[in-house]
Amino acid sequence: MAGTIEAYAPAGGPRLADLARFQKVRALSLALAADLSDADASAQSMPDASPAKWHLAHTSWFFETFVLRDHVPGYVAHDSAWAFLFNSYYEAEGDRIARAERGMLTRPSLDHVRAYRAHVDAALAAAWPTLPEPARVLVELGCHHEEQHQELLLTDLLHLFSRNPLAPAAWPARLRFACPQPGPIRWIEGGTGEARIGHAGGGFAFDCEGPEHGVWLHPHALADRLVTNAEWRAFIDDGGYRTAGLWLSDGWAWVRSEGVEAPAYWRRDEAAEFSMRFALDGLGKIDPASPVRHVSYYEADAYARWAGARLPTEAEWETAAAGLDPAAGTFLDGAGAIGTLPAPEGEGLRQMFGDAWEWTASAYLAHPGFRAVEGAVGEYNGKFMSGQFVLKGGSCATPRGHARASYRNFFYPHQRWQFTGVRLAKDL
């Protein structure tokens, strides 16, 4: 039997959104796009990315469809034709524009999309006092869904601007800061034997994070921090991208077909050295102490093999992160505002949350006992459990408070336009 919408908050009752939380999330999305021109917000740089305007509209369509249409009597859609434009992948909601064609939506304009958002926000606020509990559960789901799209908006915008010969900055260069020198990697021994992972209740979680279940951990250790740019440069200098024996077969084929020589957004200087990187604040020098970002699973796996280590499993990472503060770290705090890196001193694991999504060696598959929820929202996660790998922890573009130990991000092994990085593990 399929699950119910309460699967998004198992044990202890459903998590209900409040109006202030909804309004705060909605305001951040607008703020992230406030300085964009209509052209900036309409262009699509590759099929995996979506225009900023589409993100703003799709998140509004989510609330309009699953909350206002389904739970507010008499609600009239802002424009009935827009469901075709802004449905993402919900088969239960009918036909939709192909993902790779979203950049063809020169209309509606950015201003019309902003007006659409205002319409949806006003309608939901007006209906708030009488919204039934299932609708408020969906509002909470919609807020977390929109936070995912806030990060996607930034990663997609970064890719778009990286293709512009002018190398425009989305955010001011004053955001740049140097990371403290991290020192050599220290190995932190992980737990062994029986353990439990997966969301056990007590707050919001996406359905794919549960149910809680038992796992068995073999003796292992995790690196106390993420791999840095300086360490990755050593991999490049040692011929890491030219040594077939370090790579999975599919990864080596990808390296050769795509001509990959370095992480995405690294750029060569006049001396043909990788010394520059493109980021949301434009073109700048690579900071050797910063965590490496924008690497694929193939690259992460090859680097780990080169370093005499491996990638952690999802269970190893999640059990290590249990008990740590998931809101502490380098996260998105607002439009043009990324929280400062914590100091590297101290014992134990660092950078578990924020900074960069950490590739794991675990395929994105259902936890034992997983059941997709009923209806269209049941398509949210479960149908993507094929050919992808789990990432954990959040990134510098993840809204603060969005991450948790059980959170399961997932991408295909060749993808690297997201803020993806590497933590090493090893057997003991």
Side-chain angles (χ1 to χ4, degrees):
M1 179 178 179
T4 66
I5 192 61
E6 272 106 15
Y8 287 100
R15 171 80 179 271
L16 304 182
D18 60 72
L19 185 57
R21 153 101 168 127
F22 168 78
Q23 292 171 333
K24 180 180 179 180
V25 169
R26 299 286 284 167
L28 177 57
S29 297
L30 286 177
L32 293 175
D35 295 332
L36 300 182
S37 69
D38 196 273
D40 291 335
S42 299
Q44 181 178 21
S45 55
M46 64 169 176
D48 284 337
S50 296
K53 182 172 67 178
W54 188 90
H55 287 295
L56 295 175
H58 165 70
T59 49
S60 301
W61 171 86
F62 187 97
F63 287 111
E64 181 179 54
T65 301
F66 299 127
V67 179
L68 296 174
R69 182 198 68 184
D70 292 349
H71 294 280
V72 177
Y75 175 78
V76 177
H78 180 72
D79 189 320
S80 59
W82 285 17
F84 178 82
L85 304 182
F86 302 125
N87 175 8
S88 54
Y89 49 71
Y90 297 93
E91 298 287 348
E93 290 298 325
D95 293 336
R96 57 210 169 276
I97 192 169
R99 181 171 182 171
E101 297 292 315
R102 291 170 184 170
M104 303 301 292
L105 297 176
T106 57
R107 300 185 184 186
S109 70
L110 179 58
D111 283 343
H112 287 154
V113 168
R114 290 183 177 126
Y116 176 40
R117 289 180 65 87
H119 168 87
V120 170
D121 291 356
L124 200 148
W128 195 265
T130 58
L131 277 184
E133 183 176 283
R136 295 200 182 194
V137 172
L138 287 164
V139 172
E140 181 65 13
L141 171 61
C143 287
H144 287 266
H145 166 257
E146 182 146 351
E147 286 176 331
Q148 290 180 316
H149 278 273
Q150 288 164 355
E151 181 162 5
L152 286 168
L153 188 156
L154 293 176
T155 55
D156 293 354
L157 185 66
L158 173 61
H159 189 271
L160 174 67
F161 280 5
S162 76
R163 303 299 300 274
N164 189 318
L166 298 177
W171 290 347
R174 62 178 171 77
L175 286 172
R176 296 177 185 164
F177 54 87
C179 297
Q181 191 63 35
I185 282 177
R186 296 194 300 270
W187 292 99
I188 308 299
E189 186 171 349
T192 59
E194 186 177 359
R196 299 190 70 77
I197 66 169
H199 193 258
F204 177 87
F206 291 108
D207 58 351
C208 66
E209 297 177 49
E212 185 186 34
H213 61 283
V215 294
W216 187 265
L217 299 175
H218 297 279
H220 69 280
L222 299 182
D224 67 321
R225 59 167 175 82
L226 300 177
V227 172
T228 66
N229 288 325
E231 291 164 334
W232 202 273
R233 188 187 302 277
F235 171 68
I236 296 174
D237 292 343
D238 196 43
Y241 283 94
R242 303 189 302 273
T243 306
L246 295 174
W247 295 81
L248 296 169
S249 177
D250 287 347
W252 184 240
W254 171 78
V255 165
R256 290 185 297 168
S257 66
E258 299 297 323
V260 179
E261 299 179 294
Y265 309 129
W266 281 29
R267 296 189 176 181
R268 295 186 185 273
D269 57 23
E270 294 179 354
E273 298 291 335
F274 283 113
S275 65
M276 308 297 289
R277 96 292 184 265
F278 185 77
L280 288 167
D281 59 1
L283 196 60
K285 289 187 176 181
I286 295 171
D287 178 10
S290 291
V292 70
R293 299 184 177 97
H294 304 293
V295 294
S296 69
Y297 175 85
Y298 293 140
E299 292 167 282
D301 179 78
Y303 178 91
R305 191 172 289 109
W306 173 81
R310 61 173 174 81
L311 299 179
T313 67
E314 179 179 13
E316 289 169 347
W317 192 98
E318 190 169 326
T319 54
L324 300 180
D325 182 0
T330 305
F331 286 106
L332 177 70
D333 287 322
I338 291 177
T340 304
L341 278 169
E345 294 80 16
E347 301 295 327
L349 295 164
R350 295 169 287 161
Q351 300 176 313
M352 290 292 280
F353 293 99
D355 283 299
W357 286 103
E358 302 178 28
W359 284 107
T360 74
S362 298
Y364 176 56
L365 298 172
H367 286 330
F370 168 79
R371 295 291 185 274
V373 302
E374 297 173 346
V377 292
E379 299 183 48
Y380 198 106
N381 292 301
K383 72 181 187 179
F384 298 110
M385 292 174 176
S386 174
Q388 305 194 64
F389 284 85
V390 173
L391 301 97
K392 305 289 278 188
S395 81
C396 58
T398 304
R400 190 178 302 277
H402 183 72
R404 54 197 161 268
S406 62
Y407 197 109
R408 313 179 77 199
N409 203 349
F410 48 93
F411 287 105
Y412 291 101
H414 69 281
Q415 293 176 318
R416 59 180 192 158
W417 91 107
Q418 299 296 317
F419 290 86
T420 48
V422 183
R423 182 184 302 273
L424 298 176
K426 66 178 181 180
D427 298 317
L428 295 179

